[in-house]
Amino acid sequence: MEDVLIKKIWDDVLNILKDNIVATTYETWILPLVPHSFEDNCFCVLSGQNLAIQIIQKHQKQINKALSQVCGKEVNFKVIYDENLHKQIEKEKQKARKEEQKEFIKNLETRITSSKYDGLKQMYSSCNLNLKYKFENFVVGANNKFAYAVAVAVAKDPGVQYNPLFIYGGSGLGKTHLLQAIGHDILFNKPKLKVKYVKAEEFINDLVNSLAKGMDKTGDKNKKMNEFRSKYRNVDVLLVDDIQLIEGKARTEEEMFNTFESLHNSGKQIVFTSDRSPDKFENTPDRLKTRFQMGLLADIQVPDIETRMAILTKLANDNNINMPSDVVEFLSSVYNKNIRELEGAFNTVSAYTSINEIPITVDTVKKIIGYSDRHKNTTVDGIIDIVAGYYNVSVEDIKSTNRAAKTAYARQIAIYLAKEMTNESFPFIGNCFNRKHTTIMYSHQKVKSDLLTDKNLAADLKFIADKINE
Ligand code: ADP
Ligand code: MG
């Protein structure tokens, strides 16, 4: 069949698929496919990405359906990996990356050196904004689609809709990334606006310092506090990261409430991020809680495997690392709850393999990240069971509020082993033990430091761990 015709068929198929497949998957894996031939009732496309073949298999049904819709009959479909196409794609990517970098630096330099862009200068020097945390670098999946869309909307029209925007979700899922992306976007596209990014922790420290300093040399009792207030109120956009840290700190909550009122009343945009939704702020006064809730709440969930693979693939591409598809899949399946940990593993693996000049394979990666196949089937409940047996206490007691010394000790050990021997997050383990994730973190840290001095404990732990691995 003629090339033009093949291309026309594929264009029509793409048009159908575009609306039926998640945008990230469509753009990353389907759109780059090149129609190749249509012979013996088999429509064949080429892919320059090894990984595409596996991913596309999952969407085989939708593709077949679209093809038969366009061709008016059942048609077979095949993807073939093409080395030349791969090289071509890589070359284009590299070229685009270089262009992008050049453009970016040019842009940044002109803006930073021009006094009109004071806000930008100030933000980059005082806010520790990470240049990587931009919208362009954020991979959109089903888990964060909504939060991403509203963050973009807020950056486009700050203070108009969705005020405040409250983004919440577990650790390492991209909240800070999105928050800073809003900041970058506004600074670049609306450089006249004053943007302030602040971690809640900094806000707390700043307040404490301002209160402590109190009177200055001139005898003005409120000078420091006035300075504090104007710093956070003379802005057009206030981005507050990890707002949950102010929970229960009454003075900070009051000051945050006043800051909020002042900004909100004058139509200024506020964006919060938090590790939990406002209704889980148990010790926060209602009046502040209702302020958190009065705009828009957007949560970020744990990304599915496809999104994790897309993030890892992007990371590898951006760093010019050739990571085989089975390694991408393996790492994405092990680090399944936290993108920060996935990135951490990627950094360790790429640094280790490049320093030691060894190829990146699933086997070497397993060694580098200390992964043991035996841990794969280890569950938190399985660990609690064995620890309870070893210390002769009941599983119910470990999971309850029972504070008897023996039970509390066994509980700590079980928590430590749960963190060390599974890939579960602190909040997940917290749920298994009916405890807050901060309690879990504390117990884990306690056993970890006890281990440094207590040889008997080390021996006990080894014995229990062996039992768990049996
Ligand atoms: P949080 O603030 O929710 O704890 P971060 O925003 O610090 O998480 O994200 C942790 C790391 O994971 C960052 O390096 C961030 O760039 C990366 N990350 C998280 N989600 C994504 C995503 N959807 N696309 C690309 N990178 C992401
Ligand atoms: Mg964060």
Side-chain angles (χ1 to χ4, degrees):
M1 189 181 278
E2 268 181 60
D3 285 356
V4 246
L5 211 55
I6 296 175
K7 187 170 175 319
K8 168 89 181 69
I9 296 178
W10 186 241
D11 282 345
D12 290 349
V13 170
L14 285 181
N15 253 334
I16 300 175
L17 293 178
K18 195 170 69 200
D19 300 326
N20 295 325
I21 291 180
V22 182
T24 334
T25 308
Y26 174 81
E27 274 156 27
T28 319
W29 310 109
I30 312 259
L31 201 57
L33 296 173
V34 177
H36 174 60
S37 59
F38 192 6
E39 281 161 13
D40 300 332
N41 205 35
C42 181
F43 196 92
C44 176
V45 297
L46 300 181
S47 166
Q49 299 167 286
N50 229 329
L51 205 57
I53 298 177
Q54 287 168 41
I55 302 228
I56 286 163
Q57 260 169 12
K58 293 191 195 158
H59 302 285
Q60 185 88 28
K61 259 197 198 145
Q62 283 148 300
I63 298 176
N64 278 346
K65 200 169 150 210
L67 254 178
S68 44
Q69 201 176 320
V70 173
C71 301
K73 59 173 182 176
E74 291 283 314
V75 173
N76 295 325
F77 176 72
K78 199 157 101 189
V79 191
I80 295 176
Y81 174 69
D82 185 274
E83 189 63 37
N84 285 335
L85 192 57
H86 175 73
K87 284 187 190 142
Q88 192 189 329
I89 292 176
E90 285 303 307
K91 228 167 147 184
E92 274 165 18
K93 262 193 216 154
Q94 221 161 28
K95 204 169 132 207
R97 222 175 285 141
K98 274 196 190 135
E99 290 286 314
E100 196 189 339
Q101 264 171 2
K102 246 181 27 211
E103 189 60 23
F104 183 76
I105 289 169
K106 212 172 89 198
N107 229 327
L108 193 67
E109 277 171 356
T110 42
R111 287 181 183 216
I112 282 186
T113 45
S114 137
S115 63
K116 225 170 86 193
Y117 296 103
D118 268 354
L120 187 63
K121 253 201 291 191
Q122 200 189 337
M123 181 134 174
Y124 281 112
S125 58
S126 72
C127 289
N128 297 330
L129 271 203
N130 187 333
L131 281 180
K132 192 192 129 208
Y133 292 162
K134 298 198 299 171
F135 285 132
E136 298 92 290
N137 295 330
F138 194 79
V139 175
V140 184
N143 64 310
N144 57 26
K145 209 165 56 187
F146 181 65
Y148 173 82
V150 290
V152 170
V154 160
K156 196 155 167 267
D157 266 327
V160 177
Q161 248 180 323
Y162 313 142
N163 199 13
L165 169 61
F166 192 102
I167 302 173
Y168 67 95
S171 174
L173 297 184
K175 301 183 295 295
T176 298
H177 190 137
L178 267 189
L179 186 68
Q180 294 206 6
I182 297 177
H184 283 298
D185 195 85
I186 296 176
L187 282 174
F188 269 88
N189 297 317
K190 305 184 186 336
K192 291 210 176 103
L193 293 188
K194 265 178 112 175
V195 178
K196 183 157 186 63
Y197 164 88
V198 66
K199 296 183 190 336
E201 205 181 345
E202 265 169 46
F203 185 87
I204 300 169
N205 290 340
D206 202 8
L207 174 64
V208 170
N209 282 335
S210 306
L211 286 169
K213 284 200 183 127
M215 203 182 297
D216 78 333
K217 281 187 221 117
T218 62
D220 182 350
K221 208 169 76 193
N222 296 319
K223 184 150 187 268
K224 289 286 167 218
M225 270 315 289
N226 289 340
E227 273 173 21
F228 171 89
R229 289 188 178 127
S230 69
K231 184 155 66 177
Y232 294 100
R233 294 180 198 182
N234 286 338
V235 298
D236 299 292
V237 180
L238 181 65
L239 309 170
V240 188
D241 208 355
D242 285 324
I243 187 71
Q244 79 278 356
L245 294 176
I246 74 165
E247 185 185 0
K249 298 190 171 60
R251 188 69 181 83
T252 315
E253 284 173 334
E254 185 190 327
E255 210 51 53
M256 183 53 77
F257 175 80
N258 292 332
T259 307
F260 180 92
E261 287 292 277
S262 159
L263 288 171
H264 198 264
N265 289 341
S266 35
K268 309 297 187 189
Q269 178 72 47
I270 307 130
V271 186
F272 296 107
T273 69
S274 162
D275 72 355
R276 64 198 89 135
S277 60
D279 57 314
K280 302 250 162 54
F281 279 61
E282 284 158 21
N283 300 310
T284 296
D286 281 344
R287 60 176 191 157
L288 183 56
K289 266 206 278 202
T290 51
R291 295 310 186 276
F292 290 160
Q293 289 162 324
M294 69 192 276
L296 188 77
L297 300 179
D299 69 332
I300 302 187
Q301 301 282 338
V302 173
D304 58 21
I305 179 102
E306 271 179 31
T307 310
R308 298 200 298 276
M309 283 164 72
I311 291 174
L312 195 53
T313 305
K314 178 163 177 12
L315 212 59
N317 284 342
D318 289 350
N319 288 284
N320 276 328
I321 301 268
N322 195 358
M323 187 167 267
S325 52
D326 53 348
V327 173
V328 170
E329 188 165 0
F330 169 71
L331 281 174
S332 307
S333 70
V334 173
Y335 296 92
N336 55 5
K337 306 219 158 50
N338 184 323
I339 303 302
R340 191 176 298 115
E341 287 177 6
L342 182 65
E343 280 192 356
F346 168 81
N347 290 334
T348 313
V349 166
S350 48
Y352 188 93
T353 47
S354 93
I355 291 168
N356 295 299
E357 295 184 352
I358 52 173
I360 304 182
T361 65
V362 172
D363 279 343
T364 50
V365 167
K366 274 186 185 168
K367 286 197 191 100
I368 297 167
I369 66 168
Y371 178 88
S372 149
D373 278 332
R374 286 201 283 179
H375 289 178
K376 219 168 44 189
N377 298 322
T378 308
T379 63
V380 177
D381 279 333
I383 291 175
I384 297 179
D385 211 32
I386 290 175
V387 173
Y390 183 81
Y391 289 104
N392 203 12
V393 297
S394 75
V395 169
E396 291 71 41
D397 279 349
I398 286 194
K399 292 187 169 201
S400 75
T401 52
N402 185 324
R403 291 186 191 197
K406 199 166 123 183
T407 314
Y409 186 73
R411 183 180 302 129
Q412 259 186 7
I413 300 292
I415 288 173
Y416 175 79
L417 288 172
K419 184 62 200 168
E420 293 295 317
M421 298 187 68
T422 69
N423 295 313
E424 306 298 359
S425 65
F426 283 118
F428 179 91
I429 298 174
N431 276 340
C432 301
F433 284 86
N434 297 318
R435 277 168 168 76
K436 282 192 182 166
H437 76 281
T438 44
T439 314
I440 302 296
M441 285 165 82
Y442 172 81
S443 299
H444 177 258
Q445 194 52 43
K446 171 91 176 47
V447 176
K448 201 169 163 184
S449 59
D450 286 353
L451 263 177
L452 296 175
T453 50
D454 188 342
K455 285 218 176 80
N456 290 335
L457 174 61
D460 272 3
L461 282 184
K462 172 143 191 355
F463 184 84
I464 304 172
D466 284 347
K467 268 190 135 9
I468 293 169
N469 279 331
E470 260 170 23

